[in-house]
Amino acid sequence: MRVFNFAAGPATLPLSVLEQASREMTDWQGSGMSVMEVSHRSKPFIALAEQAERDLRELMGIPSNYKVLFLQGGATGQFTAIPLNLTAPGAVVDYLNTGAWSKKALGEATRYCKVNVVADEAGSHYSTVPAADSWQVSAEATYVHYTPNETIGGVEFDYVPNTGAVPLVADMSSTILSRPIDVSRFGLIYAGAQKNIGPSGLVLVIVREDLLGRARADTPPIWDYAVMAKEGSMLNTPPTFGIYIAALVFQWLKREGGLAAIGERNGRKARLLYDFIDASGYYKSPVARNARSWMNVPFTIPNPALEKTFCSEALAAGLANLEGHRSVGGMRASIYNAMPLQGVEALVAFMRDFQQRHG
Ligand SMILES: *Cc1c(COP(=O)(O)O)cnc(C)c1O
């Protein structure tokens, strides 16, 4: 039986995508082979990769002066690739620290650059985002990096920082494609696939062309954006199955009405869950109201000793992976694009019942 999977990542995928992949598993496009067994240089696979890029460009409205790269090494690989590609030794870079992932990103950048932490939400235990007027881009910054959605803390920016002429770099791993954005506000967007796109291992980089060709001489070619752009992300064998699933997910998103429709649905799902939590008098959201993520919803109950019971009873009811991150405890419901409204309704019904029995 298929469950509603609230995992933060790898995360749930659209059922219709999984069903199509399973239908095509042993005979993709009449080739008599699975897509995994086909050359990445073959015409049908190149056509698939090009269609995936076209669909992503259409969905996100990516301007023509941006390259789209399908890379490997996860978002974590990009924590390293970004300073290597965008800065010279000794450069100054700005990082906003809003939680676990921004902390990891800036830790890695520290190995290559002088990092200015221009905002740090430690004071609120990372339950807030810095107000737009509470921090400034430093004069010498080569780029500004932030994490629009902190997957672990469930903290999401309610604005896009205005960094003027300084390129804005965003780790969108857990929020990409969740609603429309204006790509032209960003110098570089990157996102690991396993939250809102497809299988782990694949990572997307959307980068403005003027930022290419600045990589340090010792940058590995597979992480050099200019090299990968020139090679159509196929300097070496790309993660073909990941690209295939991503392509199916992009087509699914288009069928669902694109990012405006998805964003509307995601807003409705999030409001349903937060409104229930706030009104319950039992569950609590630790996140400031203006910073509550649409994708990752952490919540607590008054008696932490009941958390295990909550999660095991939820699983028995077909609601999987509600444990909070090991670093923060509590519970967390990740409600990415592929989580249907019915999944959130089922979660709320379970939470109401659990409260009646244990509250
Ligand atoms: C999951 C996640 C990462 C790490 O992705 P990997 O593919 O494991 O490297 C980085 N940043 C954010 C915001 C994430 O959600």
Side-chain angles (χ1 to χ4, degrees), residues 89-114:
V92 173
V93 291
D94 285 357
Y95 276 71
L96 282 73
N97 185 7
T98 51
W101 288 115
S102 37
K103 191 166 169 220
K104 284 200 172 158
L106 76 89
E108 189 59 20
T110 304
R111 299 182 342 112
Y112 303 97
C113 301
K114 182 180 177 310

Side-chain angles (χ1 to χ4, degrees), residues 1 13 42 51 57 82 85 93 99 119 130 149 158-160 202 208 215 235 243 270 273-274 288 321 323 325 328:
M1 185 199 76
L13 284 166
S42 66
Q51 185 66 45
R57 283 184 177 277
I82 287 161
N85 273 275
V93 291
N149 185 72
D158 55 350
Y159 65 96
V160 174
L202 173 68
R208 217 174 54 214
L235 173 73
I243 292 170
L273 187 48
Y274 287 115
N321 292 317
E323 292 80 6
H325 189 269
V328 292

Side-chain angles (χ1 to χ4, degrees), residues 286-355:
V287 178
R289 275 172 196 272
N290 72 310
R292 288 179 174 180
S293 169
W294 280 11
M295 295 283 103
N296 310 99
V297 183
F299 59 91
T300 58
I301 51 178
N303 179 3
L306 284 175
E307 287 170 4
K308 273 208 171 72
T309 312
F310 180 96
C311 293
S312 60
E313 288 187 1
L315 182 59
L319 310 168
N321 292 317
L322 285 159
E323 292 80 6
H325 189 269
R326 59 189 184 279
S327 67
V328 292
M331 270 73 73
R332 174 178 50 167
S334 293
I335 50 175
Y336 296 116
N337 287 346
M339 174 59 64
L341 179 64
Q342 299 92 288
V344 181
E345 287 168 348
L347 174 61
V348 165
F350 170 79
M351 289 169 74
R352 187 175 285 123
D353 176 63
F354 185 88
Q355 177 179 358

Side-chain angles (χ1 to χ4, degrees), residues 7-21:
T12 191
L13 284 166
L15 183 58
S16 65
V17 166
L18 297 175
E19 286 172 343
Q20 182 174 348

Side-chain angles (χ1 to χ4, degrees), residues 9 26 40 52 86 95 126 132 148 160 183 192 205 216 289 300 335 352:
T26 55
H40 57 293
L86 301 188
Y95 276 71
Y126 300 101
V160 174
V183 174
V205 173
R216 298 184 187 198
R289 275 172 196 272
T300 58
I335 50 175
R352 187 175 285 123

